[in-house]
Amino acid sequence: MSHENMEYVHPLPVRIWHWVNAAGFVLLIITGFQIRFAEYLGYMSFEAAVTVHNWVGFIVIADYFLWFFYYFITGKIRIYYPDLNTFIPRVIKQAQFYGYGIFIGDENPHHMTAENKFNAMQQKAYVMLMFILVPLQLITGLFLWDLTRFSSLVDFMGGVKIVDTIHVFLFYFFVTFMIVHAYLATLGHTATAHMIAMFTGWEEHH
Amino acid sequence: MKKKRLLVYGLSAMFMSFVLPAPSIADVSNDSCMECHSDDSLERDASTGHNASLFVDIEKFNASPHNFDEEACVGCHSDIEELDWDADVPHEVNLANPDCAECHDETALAFADSVHAENDITCYDCHVYHGPEQVASRLTAATLQSNFCGHCHVATDSHDWLRQKELHLSSIQCTVCHAPEGGKHVRFRFYNSYADHYLSAAEIKAGLKIDGDFMDVYDEDKDGIISADEYFTLSEDIRERAFISDIRAELTSDSDPLIHKINSDGAIRDCEICHGANSALFANAKIELRGDDGSIRLVTVDGKAAASYNVKNFFSLSATRFLFLDLTGLLLILGGIGVAMLHFSIRQFTQPLRDRRKAAEKSH
């Protein structure tokens, strides 16, 4: 493979984290729907759905730590930190591109490199996702896995219904995220370019 | 020693017989029995068979369903027809065992078809002789385990298949699953977590600052049921009147003879029976109002109240879910799909624009 015009932007640990997380989320969503709507859905038993959901939940938690330690130990975590001086204009510019420029054939204002992987909108979304929403989902999931073990923390959060409500609301949010994320992944120079890059690590500049 | 005590009772009774008319069967009141049986050192001695306490805790008896049903001692000990106060012991020493089935015929029928009957367990092995508790109505899941089933069974030693078994065992009465034919409901109890105390009806009324009957205040439409809206009013009152109480809920058996039909291979093991929004187990709930005398009054509540955020410590996956949350989720997902489809459609629609621009750029 010629690496001219190609840039290595997704190191192996990041790709492993991403695809394990993606597969995990898909399984958690499938089993999550079965658990929540047991009376309507019957593609697996409630007991099996809970078992799979619990096991996959722990895999996703371990996977989150892979992401966390890799990014912090290598210092690459700074790709998530927005430059506050230029952040808002860049978000506006990026939003204008997705909302208008992309339709008339404008060039994407963001050029992906290993050090500057995310556009401003991605940075905003992923900081929120990886530092707040994903940890909150993992923590509430852990509490729901064993309410007795975490009873004092569950009470601190306002009781089991509050914990479950957060978990379910985030569940719906992540279902939506997966749909939008998968769609946005098709907006490369070809429909599959970003997805192939997420397997090979190499993103083609176009 | 015991004979001497019995002699004293005998002499006392003899003295009383001079001043009081001799009692007939109709006069064998509980008070007559308690003349002797209130003595906590009173024992049947070895000469009569085996050592056993003959003490009756009248307070426990008075707080038992038998007393609430105005059942007297001789109602069960029906072979005592009269008391002979001249005798050492005013009645036959060896009384027949009371036959619970005489009154509890439906219970006896259900019990006969149980693993307990097969193993020659008697009523008394579970129910206290003179202060029988009405299991389903009066006990929390935890006390049911410790006071009844726990005499023989350690629930935590088994049930390994059950997810979060400690949670299930602490919030569901054993009979809910092990006597599947019996009725079930969600029981709400007012609980002060600071004092670790379940509140009585009087304490609840004092805390809510209400006069008169609980239902007169909270059953606004007088249909005999606390609806979800009426339950919301109750929850608001708890908050606004600074009433220090949680409402704790658990899954409880009805006071139903069929809860005695316990078979080891007949227990509920199907999670969907509980974990589904249409589960019959959550169709109705009851608020427990405990009188100072120990009597229990149950007030029916719409099962939807179990899904309320005001019941903090009770939740069943999928069975007590909150509709608003699911509607929000549905809108979120549909919104995500809609935005993606709209964006994709506009891209398809504007493809000629981009093609023209590309061609123009190439020609330059």
Side-chain angles (χ1 to χ4, degrees):
Chain A
M1 182 196 282
S2 166
H3 286 173
E4 203 180 327
N5 292 330
M6 303 285 277
E7 180 152 2
Y8 189 63
V9 290
H10 304 304
L12 183 64
V14 173
R15 282 178 278 146
I16 292 172
W17 159 74
H18 177 272
W19 288 114
V20 169
N21 198 63
F25 267 40
V26 169
L27 287 171
L28 289 169
I29 288 167
I30 291 169
T31 51
F33 272 118
Q34 179 62 60
I35 292 167
R36 186 147 182 91
F37 298 104
E39 76 279 14
Y40 299 123
L41 307 173
Y43 45 78
M44 63 202 302
S45 72
F46 184 90
E47 194 177 352
V50 170
T51 304
V52 173
H53 201 82
N54 287 347
W55 278 104
V56 174
F58 279 111
I59 291 169
V60 168
I61 289 172
D63 197 41
Y64 178 81
F65 282 107
L66 168 68
W67 172 87
F68 187 87
F69 286 118
Y70 175 77
Y71 270 104
F72 273 94
I73 288 167
T74 59
K76 289 177 189 291
I77 194 69
R78 62 180 170 272
I79 66 169
Y80 283 86
Y81 302 157
D83 178 350
L84 295 177
N85 294 321
T86 60
F87 181 65
I88 292 173
R90 285 195 304 125
V91 168
I92 293 169
K93 214 170 170 182
Q94 196 66 44
Q96 281 173 338
F97 170 71
Y98 283 127
Y100 177 69
I102 194 169
F103 302 127
I104 60 167
D106 282 353
E107 198 179 333
N108 191 330
H110 175 75
H111 296 279
M112 189 191 290
T113 64
E115 291 75 30
N116 184 21
K117 201 158 90 173
F118 301 134
N119 69 46
M121 287 179 80
Q122 282 176 310
Q123 258 180 344
K124 184 165 73 81
Y126 289 152
V127 164
M128 180 77 112
L129 276 172
M130 295 309 293
F131 291 98
I132 298 172
L133 302 182
V134 170
L136 195 55
Q137 185 70 334
L138 300 183
I139 288 167
T140 51
L142 187 69
F143 289 176
L144 290 169
W145 164 70
D146 192 343
L147 287 162
T148 309
R149 188 187 301 251
F150 298 106
S151 60
S152 53
L153 292 165
V154 170
D155 286 345
F156 177 74
M157 286 181 79
V160 58
K161 286 212 174 81
I162 301 291
V163 173
D164 182 72
T165 299
I166 294 170
H167 194 74
V168 171
F169 179 77
L170 289 176
F171 166 78
Y172 289 131
F173 171 81
F174 283 116
V175 174
T176 310
F177 169 81
M178 293 283 280
I179 293 164
V180 174
H181 182 74
Y183 173 70
L184 290 174
T186 66
L187 298 184
H189 67 275
T190 66
T192 55
H194 288 327
M195 276 183 246
I196 290 168
M198 206 63 226
F199 280 108
T200 63
W202 292 87
E203 186 78 49
E204 187 180 354
H205 288 301
H206 197 77
Chain B
M1 182 71 191
K2 304 291 171 296
K3 277 187 175 169
K4 212 182 250 179
R5 188 171 295 115
L6 285 173
L7 185 65
V8 172
Y9 289 132
L11 288 171
S12 306
M14 203 188 299
F15 170 74
M16 295 298 284
S17 69
F18 289 118
V19 292
L20 295 170
S24 68
I25 178 66
D27 295 327
V28 182
S29 65
N30 291 356
D31 286 346
S32 308
C33 304
M34 294 314 294
E35 291 273 338
C36 301
H37 290 279
S38 60
D39 179 358
D40 62 6
S41 63
L42 188 66
E43 283 186 353
R44 177 202 292 262
D45 66 27
S47 65
T48 58
H50 58 274
N51 286 311
S53 174
L54 294 172
F55 167 66
V56 176
D57 185 339
I58 193 67
E59 283 185 18
K60 276 191 180 168
F61 177 80
N62 286 342
S64 76
H66 281 168
N67 181 51
F68 299 138
D69 291 343
E70 298 178 350
E71 197 59 73
C73 304
V74 290
C76 296
H77 297 288
S78 52
D79 43 354
I80 299 177
E81 291 182 352
E82 60 182 350
L83 293 174
D84 178 3
W85 294 104
D86 295 330
D88 274 356
V89 178
H91 54 74
E92 280 292 319
V93 172
N94 289 315
L95 298 175
N97 282 333
D99 180 7
C100 307
E102 262 186 34
C103 298
H104 301 279
D105 50 346
E106 287 181 46
T107 300
L109 205 60
F111 179 77
D113 186 17
S114 76
V115 67
H116 290 143
E118 275 172 33
N119 288 282
D120 298 328
I121 306 293
T122 68
C123 305
Y124 319 125
D125 288 320
C126 300
H127 297 277
V128 180
Y129 283 110
H130 294 114
E133 290 185 284
Q134 203 176 3
V135 176
S137 299
R138 301 167 60 78
L139 298 176
T140 62
T143 50
L144 172 62
Q145 273 180 54
S146 56
N147 296 3
F148 279 79
C149 311
H151 288 167
C152 302
H153 307 282
V154 181
T156 49
D157 284 354
S158 54
H159 300 92
D160 288 336
W161 66 275
L162 189 59
R163 306 266 168 257
Q164 305 204 44
K165 73 174 176 182
E166 287 83 4
L167 184 70
H168 279 100
L169 296 176
S170 66
S171 54
I172 302 172
Q173 285 190 348
C174 310
T175 44
V176 167
C177 297
H178 288 277
E181 291 178 42
K184 302 153 185 70
H185 63 270
V186 179
R187 177 73 60 91
F188 292 166
R189 292 184 176 92
F190 286 77
Y191 178 74
N192 181 334
S193 55
Y194 297 105
D196 188 20
H197 167 65
Y198 287 100
L199 304 177
S200 68
E203 289 168 323
I204 293 165
K205 281 168 68 175
L208 289 168
K209 299 183 175 66
I210 57 170
D211 295 321
D213 187 70
F214 183 88
M215 287 299 270
D216 287 346
V217 177
Y218 291 109
D219 181 20
E220 290 163 8
D221 58 7
K222 306 296 171 208
D223 65 348
I225 297 170
I226 302 285
S227 66
D229 287 342
E230 289 162 348
Y231 181 80
F232 181 75
T233 306
L234 169 64
S235 306
E236 286 292 291
D237 282 358
I238 291 173
R239 243 191 315 276
E240 286 171 6
R241 296 173 190 183
F243 177 26
I244 301 173
S245 173
D246 287 338
I247 293 181
R248 291 214 161 175
E250 62 180 44
L251 204 48
T252 304
S253 286
D254 291 347
S255 184
D256 180 340
L258 287 170
I259 65 170
H260 293 87
K261 195 172 174 181
I262 293 172
N263 280 299
S264 49
D265 59 348
I268 291 174
R269 257 199 81 148
D270 190 356
C271 305
E272 280 87 348
I273 288 177
C274 293
H275 293 283
N278 300 328
S279 171
L281 278 67
F282 299 89
N284 72 85
K286 293 183 192 300
I287 291 177
E288 179 180 295
L289 298 172
R290 180 168 46 83
D292 289 334
D293 59 358
S295 59
I296 301 283
R297 178 184 163 203
L298 297 176
V299 169
T300 304
V301 184
D302 185 332
K304 288 191 189 80
S308 157
Y309 283 84
N310 297 305
V311 182
K312 284 185 186 169
N313 297 292
F314 184 81
F315 173 68
S316 168
L317 280 173
S318 81
T320 58
R321 61 173 186 251
F322 196 50
L323 183 64
F324 180 72
L325 182 60
D326 293 322
L327 287 177
T328 307
L330 182 67
L331 285 177
L332 203 59
I333 294 168
L334 291 178
I337 294 170
V339 165
M341 285 177 68
L342 181 69
H343 199 269
F344 177 75
S345 304
I346 298 173
R347 272 171 62 212
Q348 295 302 105
F349 183 69
T350 54
Q351 185 64 47
L353 275 180
R354 291 193 296 280
D355 291 342
R356 277 203 296 275
R357 185 171 174 178
K358 217 177 205 174
E361 280 170 1
K362 259 188 187 167
S363 65
H364 281 90

